């Protein structure tokens, strides 16, 4: 399309479509790729508010002859969701569960509904949609229909195609209809009516008739044939099912507007049997033997290579610990109506294969939590293998081939020989072995011409290999661009010709996701990398030690899995959950940073570090670090954001909030001269509003109150003798800004508890700071200077190996993670990272054996700080609370939404509160009046207090110190904690009046001087 055509298209879409029309560089960059090796910058993006609006968008595109690509979760691994087209993203608004028929076990859905969300809404009916891919937390039903998704549960429930009843479809030229199984009489009725719909049915009938023998002979009779169009669904014995013929067509034929799908009962009981083998091929050999004796709901495989990667990455260690002996494993899950039933199924299989539950190579579980952990470890395969600890980059491309299960072992042996021939050293092999489907990621060399040539040669050889076994190029992920060019090797010329005829029938102008499946782009074309990729190699402030000291490699950690688009559980990604915007997900931001590197001539983002598109996408990043732990490949967007901001504002004026909140430690120290006046000014009518405006603070956010006496002042007045740094009982209590100047009772409480545990507490005698606020606002040069001054003050303790105890999680996380990345060569930084501990870690792991925390015997609702979740973890806190007899409900509701300076900055309040209302604030409101509310993070406590909950949260140190004084009150026990009171109404108005008087006096004096001059 010419620039003029694109402008006209955008104008028409804006005028005619009820939706968000985005042709900006940022949106185009965020949608330029999916989870595959491929990249094509879209023409624009449409986010329709209704299904009708989406249909209208297709009509407008047809008028301008613009290609169309429907997109769900964007997790496709074969390149189906990247194209130079108008991308229609259905997931933000078109996510309705239209209707449910519990008796018929069916429901009607819109294409944007996420699978987990659908199943949650169906839970009351004890029903679910059967197929469950590993991306179930964020994949959309429309995408599942487009790709014919499967997942581990397909062992019991089949592929998506097996669970679709009817589809409401729209062709590019405007035909709209519900389609499904069609009898001969119904086809005659449609034909008699005439028109384009009749032409479609006549054409389908002709294709099915002309190629009848080819379809019956040429389609592999295996459980996991996903490659090619589903022409077999048009066979007479399959009911001439047009809906199922269109499933798996990857948006190349029609747009799916709604779907009626089958549902299955949620099995009330499950058990899991894990069998160990010497190697993955031996495990594969045993699959058909096992299936002779059982009908499991899942039969999954995990090899020793994946287990090794998990151990090296420190992931899923609990699951690995309960694996039986062996170097590869089969996981056989059973489902049924009673525990006895599922347990007996497992034991019957053991008897049939001559194994026993007590054998070293057998593990059995009927504990649902344990089973879930085990299966999650298998489910995490894509993320674990995408970025191995040895820093080899692995890629999809041959990641889901499938063969008859009885031939699986031999296929794997031949595939391993092919790996060896091409020098692709020991990729992990795992997957849905019960249906003969194999997952892997291969270290293709996609950055050099030779590597790309080998990539193509390998795919051609692998395609011939799987075809020789009567298998399918794809057993789950579809063809797209990865396998479209290879389909002839599997199906032969005649069936591929039939695919072309089907494409021409529905889309004669080739405008629906062109270049996929039919007339496909080359498997080595439009690569996200490729031999022509030449990204910028910018110098950076952070060292990125885990990414070969490369900002580019840090950005490339994102491989498009899309877990950041999940709606519940964990922390990542709060801004996506609040906005449902791709560019406000970790993945979307990583995509824009990738585009910013300008490695391709058509990169959507052209301004490098000065890009406003990248800045705007990062603006709503809360820097919560949730992605550092929750992303399967460990993307750390908080660090990438800080790096970007440092360059973006280098030599330029910054937002006011960077000066007000970025320099908060300085202003907090200055507040000591007259804290009461400062508090009155910050809350004074008129004056506070003006101050917030000047400081870049959102007007809806109250300012926190400074304490009348800081912790450091209290400590000096206490006159405690400074202990010897070399004394093994000595600990340094870190006086962070928040526990020192805002909530000093926390630090005072920590002193009491630590001393009660036998430790001698030291506090630095000079001002210190971790630099957190400068890091989060990208003022990295200042942050480094602050850290160096802090290291000078701490040097005696660092040299003595004295533990440093952090109370504020975000500050502790700086010492553990940010500082070593900012100053990777500094030995004192490394020492500090090794010596810093959380309050709970010190008491759980280093307190004397005879010390016990005070007994609380209370329920507690606990909000974990995001940085603690991501960096330090919460295990020690859980153990300390257990020892204190706290019945702790540790929330899994995500970020609190305040996130340091984020929730205070102008323009962020709405998103901040939306994040909080998704889980944390409702959970606090539901907490019993006599329960404790715990939140170690200042941001979390502030958000809870300001979030209309009527409650305040305490730090764990405060709770333990209060318990040392006796029983806590039964109602709202947090009222015993010391918190600085807000200034009185009189003080606030007096400050405003004083300022007004001062201003009037100054104005009067100026006027008098002016009159004298004239």
């Amino acid at each position: 399309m010419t620039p003029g055509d694109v402008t006209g298209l955008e104008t028409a879409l804006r005028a005619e479509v009820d939706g968000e029309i985005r042709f900006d560089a940022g949106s185009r960059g965020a949608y330029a790729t999916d989870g595959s090796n491929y990249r094509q910058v879209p023409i624009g993006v449409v986010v329709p508010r209704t299904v009708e609006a989406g249909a209208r968008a297709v009509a407008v595109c047809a008028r301008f002859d613009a290609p169309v690509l429907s997109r769900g979760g964007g997790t496709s691994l074969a390149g189906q969701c990247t194209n130079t087209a108008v991308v229609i993203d259905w997931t933000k608004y078109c996510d309705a569960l239209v209707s449910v028929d519990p008796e018929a076990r069916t429901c009607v859905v819109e294409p944007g509904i996420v699978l987990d969300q659908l199943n949650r809404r169906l839970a009351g009916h004890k029903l679910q949609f059967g197929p469950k891919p590993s991306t179930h937390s964020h994949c959309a039903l429309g995408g599942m229909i487009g790709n014919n998704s499967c997942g581990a549960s397909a062992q019991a429930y089949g592929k998506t195609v097996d669970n679709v009843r009817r589809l409401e479809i729209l062709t590019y030229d405007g035909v709209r209809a519900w389609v499904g199984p069609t009898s001969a009489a119904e086809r005659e009725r449609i034909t008699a009516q005439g028109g384009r719909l009749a032409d479609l049915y006549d054409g389908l009938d002709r294709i099915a008739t002309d190629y009848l023998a080819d379809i019956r002979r040429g389609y592999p009779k295996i459980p996991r044939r996903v490659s090619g169009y589903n022409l077999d669904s048009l066979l007479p014995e399959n009911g001439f099912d047009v809906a199922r013929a269109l499933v798996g067509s990857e948006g190349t034929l029609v747009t799916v507007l709604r779907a009626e799908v089958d549902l299955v009962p949620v099995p009330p009981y499950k058990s899991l049997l894990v069998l160990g083998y010497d190697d993955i091929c031996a495990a594969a050999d045993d699959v058909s033997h096992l299936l002779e004796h059982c009908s499991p709901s899942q039969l999954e495989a995990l090899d020793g290579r994946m287990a090794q990667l998990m151990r090296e990455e420190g992931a899923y260690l609990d699951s690995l610990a309960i694996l039986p002996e062996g170097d590869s494993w089969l996981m056989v899950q059973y489902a049924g109506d009673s525990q006895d039933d599922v347990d007996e199924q497992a034991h019957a299989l053991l008897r049939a294969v001559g194994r026993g539950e007590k054998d070293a190579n057998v593990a059995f579980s009927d504990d649902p939590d344990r089973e879930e952990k085990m299966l999650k470890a298998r489910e995490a395969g894509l993320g674990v293998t995408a970025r191995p600890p040895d820093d080899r980059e692995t890629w999809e491309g041959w990641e889901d081939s499938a063969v008859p299960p009885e031939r699986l072992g031999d296929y794997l042996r031949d595939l391993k020989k092919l790996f060896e021939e091409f020098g692709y050293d020991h990729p992990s092999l795992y997957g849905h072995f019960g249906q003969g489907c194999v997952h892997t990621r291969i270290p293709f060399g996609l950055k050099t011409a030779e590597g790309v040539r080998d990539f193509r040669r390998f795919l051609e050889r692998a395609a011939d290999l799987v075809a020789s076994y009567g298998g399918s190029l794809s057993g789950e992920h579809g063809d797209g661009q990865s396998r479209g060019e290879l389909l002839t090797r599997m199906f032969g010329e005649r069936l591929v010709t039939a695919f072309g005829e089907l494409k021409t029938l529905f889309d004669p102008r080739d405008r629906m996701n062109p270049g996929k499946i039919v007339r496909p782009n080359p498997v080595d074309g439009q690569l996200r990398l490729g031999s022509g990729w030449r990204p910028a190699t910018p110098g950076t402030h952070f060292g990125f030690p885990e990414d070969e000291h490369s900002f580019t490699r840090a950005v490339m950690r994102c491989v498009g899995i899309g877990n950041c688009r999940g709606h519940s559980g964990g922390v990542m990604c709060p801004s996506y959950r609040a906005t449902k915007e791709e560019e406000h997900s970790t993945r979307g931001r990583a995509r824009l940073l990738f585009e910013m590197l300008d490695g391709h001539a058509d990169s959507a983002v052209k301004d490098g570090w000065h890009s406003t598109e990248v800045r705007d996408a990062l603006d709503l990043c809360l820097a919560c670090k949730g992605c550092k732990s929750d992303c399967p490949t460990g993307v750390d967007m908080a660090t990438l954001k800080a790096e970007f901001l440092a360059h973006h504002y280098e030599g330029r004026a910054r937002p006011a909030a960077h000066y007000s909140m970025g320099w908060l430690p300085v202003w907090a120290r200055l507040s000591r001269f007259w804290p009461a006046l400062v508090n009155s000014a910050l809350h004074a009518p008129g004056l506070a509003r003006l101050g917030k405006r000047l400081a870049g603070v959102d007007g809806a956010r109250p300012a926190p109150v400074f304490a009348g006496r800081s912790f450091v002042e209290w400590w000096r007045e206490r006159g405690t003798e400074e202990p010897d740094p070399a004394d093994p009982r000595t600990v340094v209590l870190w006086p962070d800004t928040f526990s020192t100047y805002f909530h000093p009772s926390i630090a005072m409480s920590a002193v009491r508890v630590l001393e009660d545990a036998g430790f001698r507490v030291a506090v630095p005698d000079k001002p210190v700071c971790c630099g957190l606020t400068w890091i989060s606002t990208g003022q990295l040069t200042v942050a480094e200077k602050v850290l160096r001054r802090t290291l000078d003050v701490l040097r005696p303790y660092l040299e003595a190996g004295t533990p440093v105890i952090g109370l504020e999680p975000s500050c502790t996380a700086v010492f553990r993670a940010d500082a070593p990345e900012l100053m990777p060569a500094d030995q004192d930084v490394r020492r500090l990272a090794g010596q810093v501990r959380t309050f709970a870690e010190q008491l759980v792991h280093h307190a004397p054996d005879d010390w016990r925390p005070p007994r609380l015997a209370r329920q507690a609702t606990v909000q974990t700080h995001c940085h603690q979740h991501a960096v330090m973890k919460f295990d020690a806190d859980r153990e300390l609370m257990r020892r204190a007899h706290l019945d702790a409900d540790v929330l899994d509701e995500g970020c609190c939404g305040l996130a340091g300076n984020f929730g205070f900055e102008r323009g962020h309040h709405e998103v901040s509160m939306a994040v909080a209302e998704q889980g944390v604030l409702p959970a606090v409101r539901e907490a019993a009046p006599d329960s404790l509310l715990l939140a170690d993070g200042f941001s979390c406590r502030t958000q809870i207090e300001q979030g209309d909950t009527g409650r305040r949260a305490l730090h764990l140190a405060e709770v333990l110190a209060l318990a040392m004084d006796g029983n806590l009150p039964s109602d709202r026990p947090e009222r015993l904690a010391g918190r600085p009171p807000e200034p009185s109404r009189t003080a606030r108005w007096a400050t405003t009046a004083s300022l007004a008087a001062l201003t009037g006096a100054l104005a009067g004096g100026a006027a008098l001087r002016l009159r004298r001059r004239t």
Side-chain angles (χ1 to χ4, degrees):
M1 298 182 73
T2 67
D5 291 336
V6 172
T7 300
L9 171 63
E10 179 184 2
T11 301
L13 287 168
R14 291 188 186 281
E16 301 179 39
V17 175
D18 179 19
E20 299 171 15
I21 312 302
R22 304 173 182 169
F23 280 61
D24 59 284
S27 296
R28 293 169 61 237
Y31 286 83
T33 188
D34 48 13
S36 73
N37 298 327
Y38 302 99
R39 171 189 170 277
Q40 291 178 268
V41 181
I43 298 168
V45 178
V46 175
V47 184
R49 291 191 174 89
T50 64
V51 167
E52 299 305 319
R56 184 62 191 156
V58 173
V60 173
C61 289
R63 202 164 72 231
F64 283 82
D65 201 37
V68 171
L69 165 61
S70 280
R71 178 164 162 142
T75 60
S76 297
L77 290 165
Q80 300 97 316
C81 277
T82 175
N83 215 321
T84 305
V86 174
V87 175
I88 301 178
D89 185 343
W90 298 94
T91 57
K92 185 173 182 180
Y93 299 112
C94 300
D95 59 352
L97 172 57
V98 179
S99 63
V100 183
D101 186 339
E103 292 190 6
R105 292 180 180 170
T106 63
C107 71
V108 176
V109 298
E110 293 181 343
I113 191 168
V114 169
L115 177 58
D116 273 4
Q117 296 289 88
L118 170 62
N119 284 338
R120 270 191 283 272
R121 296 181 197 179
L122 294 170
H125 302 290
K126 297 183 180 179
L127 296 172
Q128 63 181 355
F129 186 68
K132 187 178 180 181
S134 62
T135 54
H136 53 85
S137 69
H138 51 286
C139 66
L141 263 289
M144 292 182 68
I145 292 166
N147 289 350
N148 195 8
S149 299
C150 307
S153 63
Q155 185 77 37
Y157 306 123
K159 306 184 291 288
T160 294
V161 68
D162 302 313
N163 294 270
V164 167
R165 287 212 176 181
R166 296 188 307 145
L167 297 177
E168 185 184 10
I169 63 164
L170 174 70
T171 65
Y172 191 76
D173 54 10
V175 175
R176 183 168 175 176
W178 279 93
V179 298
T182 317
S183 65
E186 177 67 11
R187 295 204 299 276
E188 289 178 7
R189 186 188 65 77
I190 294 171
T191 300
Q193 290 179 344
R196 176 73 169 121
L197 184 62
D199 293 342
L200 290 177
Y201 273 84
D202 287 345
L204 290 171
D205 196 34
R206 179 189 56 76
I207 292 170
T209 301
D210 290 352
Y211 294 94
L212 183 70
D214 300 278
I215 297 169
R216 285 175 174 159
R217 185 174 56 247
Y219 274 64
K221 304 301 187 288
I222 60 175
R224 284 295 190 101
R225 194 279 307 160
V226 170
S227 280
Y229 289 137
N230 293 331
L231 296 181
D232 53 338
S233 293
L234 299 176
L235 295 176
E237 59 266 31
N238 293 327
F240 200 85
D241 195 324
V242 178
R244 292 188 175 187
L246 294 172
V247 171
S249 58
E250 302 177 0
T252 62
L253 302 178
V254 298
T255 298
V256 175
L257 301 178
R258 293 180 183 87
E260 181 182 4
V261 297
D262 287 317
L263 304 175
V264 296
V266 176
Y269 296 95
K270 298 177 183 178
S271 67
L272 182 68
L273 188 63
V274 185
L275 305 176
Y277 297 85
D278 291 339
D279 61 60
I280 195 65
C281 296
D285 288 335
D286 208 26
V287 166
S288 58
H289 180 47
L290 298 182
L291 291 175
E292 290 174 4
H293 299 286
C294 68
S295 298
S297 59
Q298 296 188 30
L299 205 171
E300 298 291 287
L302 177 76
D303 73 346
R305 171 63 174 163
M306 185 187 289
Q308 173 195 351
L309 294 175
M310 289 179 178
R311 290 189 184 99
E312 291 176 0
E313 296 179 23
Y316 301 98
L317 298 181
D318 291 345
S319 299
L320 296 177
I322 56 179
L323 286 174
E325 284 186 4
D327 193 52
S328 291
W329 302 269
L330 292 179
M331 300 177 179
V332 190
Q333 187 182 59
Y334 300 95
D337 294 328
S338 72
Q339 197 63 60
D340 289 343
D341 173 31
V342 295
D343 290 354
E344 174 53 29
Q345 290 184 60
H347 289 117
L349 177 63
L350 289 176
R351 290 193 296 270
V353 300
R355 296 201 196 192
E357 186 178 341
K358 303 298 183 183
D359 291 355
N361 60 0
V362 173
F364 172 72
S365 171
D366 56 10
D367 177 349
D369 291 338
R370 188 182 183 192
E371 292 172 40
E372 189 69 18
K373 284 184 179 179
M374 290 293 298
L375 292 171
K376 275 190 175 295
R378 208 314 275 139
E379 199 175 79
L382 173 56
V384 170
T385 57
R387 189 67 179 267
D390 60 10
D391 284 331
R392 292 186 314 159
E393 293 174 338
T394 65
W395 305 99
E396 49 281 344
W398 195 250
E399 80 291 341
D400 72 326
S401 56
V403 297
E406 63 272 15
R407 304 192 68 187
L408 182 57
D410 289 338
Y411 170 67
L412 291 185
R413 291 181 183 92
D414 285 342
L415 185 60
K416 282 189 163 190
K417 290 177 185 176
L418 198 59
F419 289 155
E420 187 175 347
E421 178 184 336
F422 279 80
Y424 299 145
D425 186 32
H426 58 276
S428 175
L429 294 167
Y430 59 100
H432 315 297
F433 277 25
Q435 295 194 311
C437 182
V438 183
H439 289 324
T440 187
R441 286 179 69 92
I442 303 170
F444 296 123
L446 297 182
K447 297 177 185 175
T448 66
E450 181 182 5
V452 172
R453 282 195 296 271
D454 285 345
F455 168 64
R456 165 178 273 281
R457 287 177 49 239
F458 175 87
L459 293 182
E460 292 170 345
R461 293 278 302 280
D464 291 340
L465 175 64
V466 80
S468 74
Y469 273 88
S472 176
L473 308 178
S474 171
E476 181 158 32
H477 301 149
D479 297 318
Q481 189 166 347
S482 288
R483 288 169 280 273
E485 194 183 0
L486 306 172
L487 288 172
T488 304
R489 295 171 182 263
M490 173 182 165
F491 287 102
E493 291 287 352
R494 270 190 59 80
L495 280 176
V496 170
T497 298
F499 296 164
E501 291 180 15
L502 185 69
K503 169 73 168 174
T504 300
L505 177 65
F506 277 92
D507 181 28
R509 291 151 65 184
D510 195 18
R511 300 287 81 189
M512 299 293 291
N513 203 11
K516 320 296 178 181
I517 304 181
V518 171
R519 295 183 287 278
N521 294 326
V523 296
D524 53 354
Q526 293 86 31
L527 291 171
R528 185 152 59 98
L529 301 181
S531 59
W533 181 59
R534 294 178 179 82
T537 55
T540 58
H541 296 271
F542 284 104
F544 299 102
E546 296 181 3
D547 295 288
E548 297 181 359
H549 305 283
S550 165
F551 179 83
T552 301
R553 274 189 62 83
V555 169
M556 287 177 59
R557 279 184 175 272
C558 178
V559 296
I561 297 170
N563 283 14
C564 47
R565 288 173 56 101
H567 291 254
S568 63
V571 172
M572 179 183 72
C573 172
S575 55
Y576 175 78
R577 293 181 185 179
T579 65
K580 295 179 74 175
E581 295 280 0
E582 174 70 19
E583 69 181 71
H584 294 309
S585 68
T586 304
R587 182 179 71 180
R589 294 180 178 113
R591 293 294 185 245
L592 283 171
L593 288 167
F594 179 87
E595 293 293 314
M596 184 195 79
L597 294 170
D598 203 23
H600 293 283
D602 65 344
S603 291
V605 178
K606 292 295 186 183
D607 299 331
W609 293 119
H610 289 165
S611 166
T612 56
E613 295 86 6
V614 176
R615 181 202 64 197
D616 292 346
L618 290 170
D619 181 57
L620 290 187
C621 170
L622 282 75
C624 67
K625 285 189 178 290
C627 47
K628 185 177 176 69
S629 61
D630 294 0
C631 172
T633 56
V635 174
D636 184 358
M637 192 53 62
T639 297
L640 296 174
K641 175 181 180 178
E643 185 70 52
F644 174 83
L645 292 176
H647 294 277
H648 186 76
Y649 290 110
E650 185 175 4
R652 307 163 74 187
R654 288 174 165 269
H658 287 199
Y659 301 107
S660 61
M661 285 172 283
W663 287 72
L664 178 64
V666 173
W667 312 136
R669 283 169 55 195
L670 292 174
S671 75
R672 294 303 88 204
F673 289 110
W674 204 341
L677 180 59
V678 171
N679 284 329
S680 296
L682 290 174
H683 294 83
L687 181 59
R689 189 183 314 114
L690 176 62
K692 289 176 187 177
R693 182 172 299 175
L694 294 174
V697 174
D698 198 287
R701 181 68 69 176
V705 181
F706 288 101
R709 181 175 61 165
S710 73
F711 165 67
V712 172
E713 290 169 332
W714 172 85
W715 177 258
R716 288 172 182 160
E717 293 170 9
R718 193 171 187 248
T720 304
E721 181 181 353
E722 184 174 336
D724 181 358
D727 186 333
R729 296 171 298 168
T730 299
V731 296
V732 176
L733 186 63
W734 178 253
D736 64 83
T737 297
F738 309 100
S739 302
T740 296
Y741 299 109
F742 295 101
H743 294 170
S745 67
I746 292 172
M748 298 175 194
S749 298
V751 170
R752 285 192 63 195
V753 177
L754 289 168
E755 289 180 343
D756 182 70
F759 297 108
R760 301 188 64 194
V761 178
V763 175
D765 58 357
K766 295 178 181 177
V768 288
C769 183
C770 68
L772 167 69
T773 56
W774 286 283
I775 292 173
S776 62
T777 54
Q779 301 179 75
L780 300 181
T781 302
V782 179
E784 187 171 345
K785 291 178 181 177
V786 169
L787 279 166
R788 291 197 184 283
R789 284 199 296 268
T790 292
L791 293 171
D792 289 341
V793 175
L794 293 179
R795 184 155 291 119
Y797 302 106
L798 298 177
E799 292 175 353
T802 309
V804 178
I805 311 304
L807 298 173
E808 172 59 39
S810 54
C811 297
T812 310
V814 168
F815 292 142
R816 285 267 182 95
D818 298 291
E821 292 186 18
L822 188 60
M823 303 160 65
D826 192 292
Q827 291 300 318
D828 278 338
V829 166
R830 294 183 183 182
R831 293 185 185 104
L832 180 55
Q835 289 170 223
V836 71
R837 299 168 183 166
T838 68
F839 175 73
E841 286 171 344
Q842 181 67 22
L843 292 173
V844 168
H845 301 305
H846 304 283
D849 292 340
D850 59 352
W851 181 79
R852 296 289 182 272
R855 186 184 181 99
L856 280 154
R858 280 291 183 97
Q859 288 186 327
T861 297
V862 185
Q863 168 65 6
T864 308
H865 191 284
C866 296
H867 289 193
Q868 180 151 4
H869 168 88
V871 179
M872 291 87 68
K873 311 305 178 187
F874 206 64
D875 295 345
D877 296 75
R878 289 179 187 271
E879 177 59 20
L880 182 57
M881 290 187 290
R882 186 193 68 79
R883 294 181 186 181
H885 296 272
L886 268 176
D887 181 10
D889 175 18
V890 181
L891 299 178
D892 186 23
E893 300 291 354
C895 181
C896 74
L898 188 58
N901 57 291
F902 175 85
F904 280 95
E905 291 182 6
R906 184 164 50 241
H908 291 172
H909 186 262
E910 184 177 345
V911 170
S912 172
M913 297 311 297
V915 170
E917 291 292 354
Q918 289 186 340
V920 175
L921 295 185
V924 170
R925 295 184 190 114
E926 291 171 6
D930 64 341
S931 67
L932 289 162
L933 295 177
L934 296 184
D936 283 2
F938 176 78
S939 293
C940 307
R941 295 192 301 275
T942 302
Q943 186 79 312
I944 288 170
E945 184 175 343
Q946 297 184 357
D948 192 29
T949 64
R951 301 294 299 271
R952 284 182 174 177
L954 304 175
H955 192 285
L956 182 55
E958 291 179 297
V959 171
L960 295 179
L962 289 171
M964 290 167 61
D965 295 330
N967 293 328
L968 300 179
S970 59
D971 183 57
R972 302 183 189 277
E974 66 265 20
R975 54 195 165 90
L976 291 185
R979 290 288 184 269
E982 287 191 7
S984 67
R985 187 171 184 274
T986 301
R988 287 183 276 135
W989 276 105
T991 303
T992 300
S994 298
L995 181 65
L998 178 60
T999 303
L1002 291 174
L1008 181 60
R1009 286 194 297 274
L1010 183 62
R1011 282 199 300 271
R1012 287 174 177 171
R1013 288 178 184 173
T1014 57

